[in-house]
Amino acid sequence: MKSEKLLFFVLFFMVLGVSAQNLHTQANAASIDNEANTVTGWTTNNRAIATSSAVNPFAGSFSISVALNGSTGGYAGYTFTAVVGEVYDISIWAREGNLSFRPAFANWSGFSNFSTTAITGSNWTQYTWSLTATTTSPEIRVYAAPWSGGQAGTEVLIDNVSITLQGSGADTEAPSAPSNLTASGTTTTTTNLSWNASTDNVGVTGYTILQDGASIGTTNGATTFNVTGLTQNTSYAFTVTASDAAGNVSAASNTANVTTETAADNQPPSAPSNLTASGTTTTTTNLSWNASTDNVGVTGYTILQDGVSIGTTSGATTFNVTGLTQNTSYAFTVTASDAAGNVSAASNTANVTTETAADNQPPSAPSNLTASGTTTTTTNLSWNASTDNVGVTGYTILQDGASIGTTNGATNFNVTGLTQNTSYAFTVTASDAAGNVSAASNTANVTTDTAADGESPSAPTNLTAANTTNTTTDLSWDASTDNVGVTGYTILQDGASIGTTNGATTFNVTGLTQNTSYAFTVTARDAAGNVSAVSNTANVTTTGTGVVDYTSENANLATVDWNARDLFANRNVGIGTTNTQGYQLAVAGSVVAEEVNVKLQVNWPDYVFENSYNLPTLEEVEAHIQANGYLLNMPSAAQVEQSGIDIGKMNAKLLRKIEELTLYTLAQEKKIKALEEQNKKLESISQKIAELEKAMEEKR
């Protein structure tokens, strides 16, 4: 018999010496030496499913199928234990499935010189590599389809996977012995073993646990083991050995000696009986009961109030309960326990209602009374709750010292029926069931809102002009009326605002042009911005100059020195024409001058930059152009053709348009800057999205 065993081991090691060990160790459908109808050892990402397939395997009865469960990037991977720097020969047979899209061996990790290898054709083909390990856990991956393309069901099959250490013979070196074996948590039938890991030249694959020299279990590398099925009050000797993939077994660890515990007392005492309460007051009661019995001995009792433990005794069968609330019902029970921790069933229930004490203590005053959400007729009150020796039952709300309502404990109240623009003082008191009332809270002072004013003032009446000169006139009118109050008036000259008053019903107009007709109107406004209809129109024509020196009788006299004397005329002057058309100076022909200084008799348009100026919207300007064919507040071609233009007035009108354009430009510049800021933020967000997409693509 001994000679047969010796022969077996000689043959075994001879075989190991001539062929390298296959590191594809799991029993699965692609294993050469240990085929099984499983995919043990192979894992997939969430884009693929690996299954055992019996359809046209390369060898044996099964191969492994890797199929997409989505549309892209599904793979299966296999990780094995390697030595960094060692070269491994890897051989895998593969073929395309019935539905395929560019399968490949790709993205292997833990190797220094691997490159993607495409899998082509429906016939089984061998693919081989000689790769150097860069980690102790390199991974092989087979993709059913690349990250772009494929569909659910796209398939690739692999078989006869072989992984061997290049140029090596069998691993004959056993792992080191496990060390520091200890036992903990020992009970009557179990104990927990733990030890320090062994080391190996290739790698430890598992441990065998021995109880009194006989194997009772293994681990796949874990250094802990839970021993069960032991006998109480019994001694055991435990050891552990380590093994590697080649089957080499280490020497035994140190011995962990264990003696199991003796089975505990698991019989609970009998339930206490005849639990009664006596001497109950407003806050206390006395409990007593008949003692329990036990197979070993009762060690104490637990008293429960409404199911919750409130105390224990060390064997006494009485207990004084304190800290109760007056006029309150309680349910008491008692349980017995023994030294082993066994607890009896609960005793009968003793129901107790404490007495009621006379309550003459008022609650504390409510605090932090505040009002919010005030409108024209309502406000919301809220406050911090009061405290009481027994309990607050409600609150009374007082408005200017008179009660307007109560709550049943709520600390908020909605006040209604108030008068707009009126001040109120609110307080709150708390009360308890005995009728005790607290002091008043702090005062919350509230003034209700004023109702929105949507009513315009009446139009000003009886607008008249007086004291008109060649450049000024005085306007006056009768005051407008309003439901709230008139805050001011706007004076309009030929329909355009030339000024305002803060309530005065007179206005001095200046800057007029002599011998010119004007139409004045006035509107009233209130604090809400409501504007009245226009008043009646006051038509005004300014006076002329009145200087008289020149007459037609002396116009052509040789004695008149036109080169050296000033020219004065008390009527109109015509040069090259006798028809002045009512103008003080008419020239039939061109006029040349080194300088023309126009003394303006008009309101210079700096009023455009005043806050009260009503700048027309661009929509209003466009509508006017479309309707009339010329700019708002400018003369039309027909008007110029008929009446000509006043240089001073026209310059003022042109400046008004320039100033309006300036305001439009400034507003547009603000919008452009705001859009530029928004664009910068969008560009920043776009750049971050691009960086995230790039990072995600790189991870793939």
Side-chain angles (χ1 to χ4, degrees):
M1 187 67 177
K2 290 182 178 180
S3 62
E4 289 174 353
K5 289 184 177 179
L6 178 60
L7 177 61
F8 170 78
F9 283 108
V10 170
L11 291 173
F12 177 76
F13 285 110
M14 285 178 66
V15 172
L16 290 176
V18 298
S19 62
Q21 178 191 1
N22 186 356
L23 300 180
H24 184 254
T25 58
Q26 276 87 349
N28 57 49
S31 177
I32 296 175
D33 301 320
N34 196 15
E35 187 180 66
N37 186 18
T38 67
V39 293
T40 304
W42 289 86
T43 60
T44 61
N45 64 352
N46 59 6
R47 298 171 181 262
I49 300 173
T51 58
S52 177
S53 174
V55 179
N56 187 23
F58 171 74
S61 302
F62 306 102
S63 65
I64 291 179
S65 165
V66 182
L68 295 184
N69 62 1
S71 60
T72 58
Y75 70 84
Y78 181 84
T79 303
F80 64 93
T81 301
V83 178
V84 175
E86 291 290 345
V87 179
Y88 291 85
D89 293 327
I90 301 172
S91 171
I92 303 176
W93 288 79
R95 69 176 177 87
E96 295 179 348
N98 291 331
L99 178 64
S100 64
F101 184 82
R102 296 167 53 195
F105 296 99
N107 295 332
W108 290 15
S109 62
F111 299 105
S112 63
N113 50 350
F114 171 78
S115 61
T116 299
T117 305
I119 300 171
T120 59
S122 58
N123 295 324
W124 285 103
T125 303
Q126 185 181 26
Y127 298 84
T128 62
W129 304 266
S130 293
L131 304 174
T132 303
T134 58
T135 71
T136 58
S137 301
E139 183 184 26
I140 297 169
R141 290 182 181 177
V142 56
Y143 280 78
W147 284 105
S148 177
Q151 58 181 297
T154 297
E155 180 187 44
V156 64
L157 296 106
I158 59 172
D159 204 353
N160 272 35
V161 179
S162 171
I163 307 170
T164 60
L165 180 63
Q166 190 177 87
S168 67
D171 176 14
T172 59
E173 183 177 333
S176 63
S179 60
N180 195 28
L181 174 65
T182 59
S184 62
T186 303
T187 67
T188 56
T189 59
T190 65
T191 194
N192 297 312
L193 300 178
S194 63
W195 57 92
N196 292 345
S198 299
T199 57
D200 188 64
N201 62 322
V202 176
V204 175
T205 59
Y207 297 92
T208 299
I209 295 84
L210 299 99
Q211 176 180 307
D212 298 327
S215 173
I216 60 169
T218 61
T219 78
N220 289 327
T223 57
T224 60
F225 187 84
N226 176 242
V227 182
T228 60
L230 304 178
T231 303
Q232 66 167 315
N233 195 29
T234 302
S235 296
Y236 297 92
F238 296 97
T239 54
V240 177
T241 60
S243 57
D244 58 22
N248 298 305
V249 179
S250 74
S253 68
N254 60 294
T255 300
N257 294 302
V258 171
T259 300
T260 53
E261 296 182 350
T262 301
D265 173 17
N266 55 14
Q267 182 176 334
S270 64
S273 60
N274 196 28
L275 175 63
T276 58
S278 61
T280 303
T281 69
T282 56
T283 58
T284 66
T285 193
N286 297 311
L287 301 177
S288 62
W289 58 91
N290 293 342
S292 299
T293 59
D294 186 66
N295 62 324
V296 176
V298 174
T299 57
Y301 296 91
T302 299
I303 295 84
L304 299 99
Q305 176 181 308
D306 297 327
V308 178
S309 172
I310 59 170
T312 60
T313 77
S314 298
T317 58
T318 60
F319 186 83
N320 177 240
V321 182
T322 61
L324 302 179
T325 301
Q326 62 168 323
N327 194 30
T328 304
S329 295
Y330 299 92
F332 295 97
T333 53
V334 177
T335 60
S337 55
D338 59 22
N342 298 305
V343 178
S344 74
S347 68
N348 61 293
T349 301
N351 294 303
V352 171
T353 299
T354 52
E355 296 181 350
T356 302
D359 179 16
N360 54 13
Q361 181 178 331
S364 64
S367 60
N368 195 28
L369 174 64
T370 58
S372 62
T374 302
T375 68
T376 56
T377 59
T378 66
T379 193
N380 297 313
L381 301 178
S382 62
W383 57 90
N384 292 345
S386 299
T387 59
D388 187 64
N389 63 320
V390 177
V392 174
T393 57
Y395 297 91
T396 299
I397 296 83
L398 299 100
Q399 174 182 309
D400 298 328
S403 172
I404 59 170
T406 61
T407 78
N408 290 326
T411 57
N412 54 71
F413 187 83
N414 177 240
V415 182
T416 60
L418 304 178
T419 302
Q420 65 166 317
N421 195 28
T422 303
S423 295
Y424 297 92
F426 294 97
T427 54
V428 177
T429 60
S431 55
D432 59 23
N436 299 305
V437 178
S438 73
S441 67
N442 60 294
T443 300
N445 293 302
V446 172
T447 299
T448 51
D449 293 341
T450 301
D453 178 14
E455 183 176 333
S456 301
S458 64
T461 58
N462 196 27
L463 174 62
T464 59
N467 304 320
T468 303
T469 69
N470 58 347
T471 60
T472 66
T473 193
D474 294 324
L475 301 178
S476 63
W477 56 93
D478 291 343
S480 299
T481 59
D482 187 66
N483 62 321
V484 177
V486 175
T487 57
Y489 297 89
T490 299
I491 295 83
L492 298 101
Q493 175 183 310
D494 297 328
S497 171
I498 58 169
T500 61
T501 78
N502 291 327
T505 58
T506 60
F507 187 82
N508 175 241
V509 183
T510 61
L512 303 178
T513 302
Q514 63 178 337
N515 197 29
T516 302
S517 295
Y518 297 93
F520 295 97
T521 54
V522 178
T523 60
R525 65 182 181 277
D526 60 22
N530 300 304
V531 178
S532 74
V534 297
S535 69
N536 61 292
T537 301
N539 294 302
V540 172
T541 300
T542 53
T543 60
T545 57
V547 178
V548 178
D549 271 346
Y550 171 78
T551 68
S552 59
E553 288 78 6
N554 64 10
N556 295 313
L557 292 178
T559 57
V560 178
D561 184 3
W562 294 103
N563 294 320
R565 295 183 61 187
D566 295 333
L567 175 63
F568 300 96
N570 63 352
R571 294 178 61 187
N572 299 336
V573 176
I575 300 176
T577 179
T578 60
N579 181 13
T580 64
Q581 300 181 30
Y583 291 100
Q584 291 179 291
L585 173 63
V587 178
S590 300
V591 176
V592 63
E594 292 184 358
E595 180 178 333
V596 176
N597 186 358
V598 178
K599 297 295 185 177
L600 291 180
Q601 303 296 321
V602 297
N603 189 16
W604 197 243
D606 285 349
Y607 56 78
V608 171
F609 294 139
E610 295 177 359
N611 292 333
S612 60
Y613 182 69
N614 184 20
L615 179 67
T617 66
L618 292 175
E619 289 80 2
E620 293 172 337
V621 173
E622 181 182 18
H624 186 275
I625 293 172
Q626 290 176 346
N628 302 287
Y630 58 92
L631 274 175
L632 184 68
N633 298 323
M634 295 293 286
S636 67
Q639 291 171 329
V640 173
E641 184 178 354
Q642 178 181 352
S643 305
I645 60 172
D646 185 306
I647 294 175
K649 283 186 177 180
M650 180 55 69
N651 280 339
K653 288 178 178 288
L654 292 173
L655 179 59
R656 179 179 181 181
K657 292 303 167 187
I658 292 172
E659 291 181 348
E660 287 178 347
L661 285 172
T662 301
L663 293 178
Y664 293 137
T665 302
L666 292 174
Q668 200 166 41
E669 178 66 16
K670 291 179 181 179
K671 291 182 179 179
I672 291 171
K673 288 184 177 181
L675 290 172
E676 287 176 346
E677 289 299 319
Q678 291 178 359
N679 191 44
K680 287 180 181 179
K681 292 179 181 179
L682 290 174
E683 287 178 351
S684 176
I685 293 172
S686 178
Q687 182 178 357
K688 290 180 180 178
I689 292 173
E691 291 173 353
L692 287 172
E693 289 177 343
K694 182 179 179 182
M696 292 175 66
E697 188 63 31
E698 290 175 350
K699 288 184 178 179
R700 291 177 182 170

